[in-house]
Amino acid sequence: MKKIELEDILKYRIPGGLKYNPAGTALAFQVTEADEKKNDYRTSVWIAEGGTARQMTHTLDASIACWEDDEHLILRRSSPDGEKGVTELFRLHIRGGEAEPWMTLPFGLRQIEKFGESRYLALGSIRKSDPDAYLDAPEERKKKAEALEAEKDYEVFDEIPYWMNGAGVTNGWRRALFLVTMKDGKPVCKRLTAPDFQTDELMVKGDRAWFTGDHRGQVASMYNKLYAFDGKKISCLYRGGGMSFGGLFLMNGQLYFQASDLRAYGCNETPKICRLTDRRVTPVYNPPVTLYSSVLGDTTEGGGGSWMGSTAYLTLATVRDHNAIFRLTEGSDGMLDCRTIWEQEGLVASMDACEDKIALIYQGWDHVAEVFEMTGDGAGMTRLTHLNDEALRGRYVAEPQRIDYTSRGLALRGWVLLPEGFSPRKKYPAVLDVHGGPRCVYGETFFHEMQLWVARGYVVFFTNIKGSDGRGDEFADIRGDYGGTDFQNLMDFTDAVLAAYPNIDRSRLCETGGSYGGFMTNWIISHTDRFCCAASQRSIASWISMAFISDIGAFFSADQNGVQSQYSAHDVAVLWDHSPLKYADQVKTPTLFIHSEEDYRCPLAEGMQMMQAIAQRGVETRMCLFHGENHELSRSGKPKHRLRRLKEITDWFDQHTSRE
């Protein structure tokens, strides 16, 4: 069979943004594909009806904003030539014809939802220092844009975080709630929230809306409040502090939400589903696993994973190493009953539903993401698209071979991918791939980079260790134990794989990982020399610098290392003890570092520190720095950059496994 090639990653067409129309008779979604010549992506809109899908837009590069009614879609145009700070929306009739200009909103749009008749609620970006700039005339808007352009070489920070990964500098910007009313065919916008208010989540049902958020000071809080809007005024439903709200939905007219005080398991704690009783937060369902998809892949686009019906709520869940759909209904005792209506190995990137159908973007081990549909009770799953059949036609895709093993008293699971024609009589190099998160999981799903290495003759192995998702908060909790149980789990898994496949060449073991996996790569090379080379991607070297540079550093570093703060001498010492940089003098492994200049999650300083520290000791090293990219380089970076990243890693492995 033909082999998976490096360039194949640019041939995959990735669906996303599933949205049923109000009647549930048509399913809209978008398909994103790479344009290597322009080094960018283009997105088209598709419609599925009656079990078949068709492409609706060809020249307009746009994504789905919302349904206006059963026949009309509202699209958001993506154009680098458009006016900055505004959002162009188009109206598309699903029975044919070109998308027509509909309205232009005088702010950057995050979300828009129909709110009764001729009105919409929108989340849009404002500057707290100029919150009513959306009312400016075009001439004034142009003058302000020119003033900002003149200041483009300067940034002033007076709050934290001052930047966010993927969003750039966010200092002084807020996400405001707007009421948009159509009058004489034109939008009239009214800001509803205060200039310093940060809106987190919006849920609309008919002419009622609920949202979460809070006034933001110099330091952003992990907690927020719960509000309602009836079309005339905003009401705060819960004024108590110390709670984090999200996941809003209605069932039988009752408002439910996810809430947590983050005390039991810190910032990664799974929230309970609750409702308000006399303005008190009352838990009604304690999920045993997370209610979203945390299964990883490099050929999928994330999206919504829940749906509220009149008497039931559907949500994605991550169970062990795959996804399931939970159906929640009200029980007779006032609590919510949960039933699993669908569960399958693989990855679900997005889900939407209507009263009698459920749509999924599903990816198994042998195919890239496609759109599927099933009945409302989770039966009769059928495939609606064949976007990627041609890209994989005639190519060898390795099927995951499961390995169960025990490490530090934990029953764990991993997988091995074998090259085509694998022979026990032949020696093979191998790659250990460590996932990010840490609260994410690997599963039996297609992974391009792993399949590429298999095609190059490597055995690839990967596992879910302590700290991974899918098995509840206690299993996922490694606060204060980074580099402890998790490291031992990986070493025990490596031993289990070598025992199961003794013809793997122990002198040609490679290792890689990104984000948390990058932290673990740095930890591995500073605590063992069993790997012939490593590739550390978007990594963490020092929890101290991470604490004071990362967009999540203000809370994540202290929380995950089991300390109260990152200021006291004791706590700084603990952060340093868990930092790979402390042990850099023990590194012997040739290590490649991959980092993005605009990675504000694991900032560039992390990779640079570790690279320089081992270079000073004479350890062979190399860094590939990507300008204009962020933490998501491997998943949504520019096409040529994704190719270069994967080529750098693959060449590094080839170089060090081909040595005598």
Side-chain angles (χ1 to χ4, degrees):
M1 301 182 73
K2 294 187 292 185
K3 297 180 182 296
I4 298 285
E5 300 288 349
L6 178 71
E7 295 77 12
D8 288 342
I9 198 168
L10 303 187
K11 298 177 182 178
Y12 307 134
R13 297 191 290 169
I14 310 303
L18 298 174
K19 285 184 183 293
Y20 276 107
N21 66 355
T25 55
L27 173 70
F29 59 95
Q30 56 211 34
V31 176
T32 300
E33 52 191 311
D35 185 334
E36 187 175 6
K37 183 176 294 186
K38 293 183 179 180
N39 198 26
D40 207 345
Y41 297 90
R42 58 180 180 270
T43 302
S44 56
V45 176
W46 292 55
I47 294 289
E49 293 179 288
T52 60
R54 65 186 188 278
Q55 185 173 346
M56 296 295 298
T57 63
H58 296 268
T59 58
L60 181 69
D61 186 10
S63 57
I64 299 166
C66 66
W67 284 93
E68 183 184 19
D69 52 42
D70 287 330
E71 299 288 318
H72 295 91
L73 266 174
I74 303 303
L75 309 180
R76 177 190 310 163
R77 184 170 79 160
S78 303
S79 172
D81 302 323
E83 181 184 349
K84 292 183 178 179
V86 304
T87 303
E88 296 177 283
L89 297 175
F90 288 72
R91 190 170 182 259
L92 176 69
H93 197 296
I94 65 172
R95 297 301 163 213
E98 291 292 324
E100 300 176 348
W102 183 55
M103 74 163 78
T104 298
L105 294 175
F107 48 77
L109 180 67
R110 170 70 176 267
Q111 179 184 350
I112 187 167
E113 302 289 343
K114 194 166 184 181
F115 186 61
E117 291 297 323
S118 301
R119 297 199 298 178
Y120 300 82
L121 284 178
L123 296 183
S125 298
I126 63 168
R127 294 182 71 93
K128 70 173 184 177
S129 60
D130 191 12
D132 294 325
Y134 70 96
L135 297 173
D136 292 340
E139 298 80 11
E140 182 66 18
R141 228 173 24 237
K142 181 180 179 182
K143 185 185 299 184
K144 288 181 179 180
E146 291 172 349
L148 286 175
E149 179 67 17
E151 292 285 311
K152 68 179 181 179
D153 291 337
Y154 313 98
E155 296 288 356
V156 177
F157 300 151
D158 58 8
E159 61 186 34
I160 59 172
Y162 35 76
W163 55 26
M164 290 295 293
N165 186 69
V169 173
T170 56
N171 194 92
W173 288 91
R174 298 293 184 268
R175 190 180 308 122
L177 178 64
F178 287 90
L179 178 64
V180 181
T181 304
M182 295 296 288
K183 291 185 178 180
D184 300 325
K186 295 183 178 181
V188 177
C189 303
K190 179 183 179 181
R191 176 173 53 83
L192 301 176
T193 49
D196 66 340
F197 191 92
Q198 174 71 4
T199 312
D200 297 325
E201 182 179 325
L202 170 66
M203 187 266 290
V204 179
K205 188 70 172 179
D207 58 0
R208 295 272 295 173
W210 296 261
F211 62 97
T212 63
D214 205 354
H215 297 271
R216 179 179 162 183
Q218 184 177 19
V219 180
S221 173
M222 295 176 63
Y223 302 109
N224 57 13
K225 291 184 172 63
L226 182 62
Y227 298 85
F229 178 62
D230 62 4
K232 296 180 179 180
K233 66 177 182 178
I234 292 174
S235 304
C236 184
L237 302 180
Y238 182 78
R239 295 185 179 276
M243 294 294 294
S244 176
F245 295 99
L248 310 175
F249 66 94
L250 286 181
M251 190 192 307
N252 293 321
Q254 170 71 53
L255 176 66
Y256 291 89
F257 47 85
Q258 296 181 25
S260 173
D261 59 13
L262 307 179
R263 293 179 182 175
Y265 292 99
C267 65
N268 281 338
E269 182 173 315
T270 301
K272 297 179 176 64
I273 292 184
C274 307
R275 64 170 174 254
L276 284 179
T277 306
D278 298 327
R279 291 190 176 271
R280 291 179 301 166
V281 175
T282 304
V284 292
Y285 177 63
N286 186 12
V289 295
T290 50
L291 301 182
Y292 56 84
S293 174
S294 58
V295 185
L296 293 168
D298 60 355
T299 56
T300 58
E301 176 184 299
S306 63
W307 171 79
M308 59 180 181
S310 55
T311 60
Y313 175 70
L314 303 185
T315 178
L316 286 178
T318 299
V319 179
R320 185 89 190 209
D321 48 36
H322 58 275
N323 291 129
I325 299 175
F326 288 177
R327 179 184 179 90
L328 300 175
T329 54
E330 292 180 338
S332 58
D333 58 356
M335 304 296 284
L336 294 187
D337 295 330
C338 178
R339 181 167 63 93
T340 301
I341 62 171
W342 179 89
E343 187 172 4
Q344 192 165 309
E345 298 294 338
L347 179 161
V348 177
S350 181
M351 180 196 80
D352 193 30
C354 56
E355 290 296 339
D356 60 352
K357 292 190 290 288
I358 301 171
L360 299 175
I361 295 176
Y362 170 74
Q363 179 170 283
W365 69 265
D366 59 348
H367 68 86
V368 179
E370 300 284 357
V371 180
F372 291 77
E373 196 172 51
M374 64 182 77
T375 63
D377 57 1
M381 182 170 171
T382 58
R383 184 168 171 175
L384 299 182
T385 63
H386 295 270
L387 301 168
N388 298 295
D389 287 359
E390 190 58 38
L392 290 179
R393 194 179 308 280
R395 299 192 184 275
Y396 172 74
V397 179
E399 181 176 1
Q401 307 297 311
R402 182 172 140 184
I403 288 184
D404 294 315
Y405 65 104
T406 301
S407 175
R408 289 201 172 178
L410 298 171
L412 301 174
R413 179 181 299 171
W415 296 267
V416 176
L417 302 178
L418 302 176
E420 185 179 20
F422 179 81
S423 170
R425 295 185 295 275
K426 181 182 176 182
K427 286 286 188 179
Y428 291 87
V431 178
L432 168 63
D433 198 325
V434 183
H435 70 63
R439 194 155 186 172
C440 296
V441 292
Y442 279 150
E444 296 183 16
T445 179
F446 184 89
F447 224 107
H448 174 79
E449 66 180 36
M450 295 187 190
Q451 295 292 343
L452 172 67
W453 298 328
V454 167
R456 300 290 287 258
Y458 292 87
V459 172
V460 179
F461 56 109
F462 51 99
T463 184
N464 295 323
I465 55 178
K466 180 80 163 69
S468 302
D469 203 12
R471 297 177 64 176
D473 284 344
E474 185 174 352
F475 183 82
D477 187 15
I478 56 170
R479 292 173 300 162
D481 193 30
Y482 275 65
T485 302
D486 49 359
F487 170 70
Q488 190 58 52
N489 292 165
L490 288 170
M491 296 304 100
D492 290 342
F493 175 58
T494 301
D495 292 338
V497 170
L498 293 176
Y501 300 93
N503 56 323
I504 292 177
D505 190 340
R506 293 171 180 254
S507 69
R508 293 193 292 163
L509 295 179
C510 311
E511 188 276 339
T512 190
S515 195
Y516 164 75
F519 159 84
M520 188 51 65
T521 297
N522 291 344
W523 190 269
I524 286 171
I525 63 174
S526 58
H527 287 77
T528 180
D529 60 358
R530 71 186 302 177
F531 297 94
C532 72
C533 67
S536 178
Q537 307 173 61
R538 54 189 188 278
S539 65
I540 299 170
S542 168
W543 286 109
I544 299 173
S545 54
M546 173 81 174
F548 298 106
I549 304 177
S550 170
D551 59 357
I552 61 173
F555 63 88
F556 190 79
S557 289
D559 177 85
Q560 291 298 288
N561 285 281
V563 299
Q564 296 301 310
S565 70
Q566 44 237 7
Y567 296 96
S568 72
H570 167 75
D571 289 347
V572 169
V574 172
L575 294 179
W576 184 238
D577 285 343
H578 289 282
S579 298
L581 188 61
K582 177 180 179 178
Y583 311 98
D585 62 342
Q586 301 176 30
V587 176
K588 299 178 182 178
T589 307
T591 304
L592 167 71
F593 291 88
I594 300 285
H595 228 105
S596 297
E597 186 177 36
E598 297 173 15
D599 187 340
Y600 302 140
R601 185 60 40 85
C602 295
L604 175 58
E606 298 305 309
M608 295 179 74
Q609 289 179 93
M610 199 70 187
M611 184 267 188
Q612 290 200 35
I614 69 172
Q616 289 174 357
R617 294 198 67 253
V619 177
E620 183 187 359
T621 187
R622 171 185 174 92
M623 172 173 275
C624 187
L625 170 62
F626 290 85
H627 298 292
E629 294 291 356
N630 60 53
H631 197 67
E632 303 304 312
L633 168 64
S634 65
R635 294 177 282 264
S636 58
K638 293 181 179 179
K640 291 181 180 179
H641 294 175
R642 294 177 74 192
L643 286 177
R644 177 62 182 269
R645 166 198 166 267
L646 192 47
K647 185 177 187 303
E648 284 280 340
I649 298 171
T650 305
D651 287 351
W652 189 256
F653 291 165
D654 288 349
Q655 175 187 340
H656 290 86
T657 56
S658 62
R659 294 177 175 177
E660 293 296 333

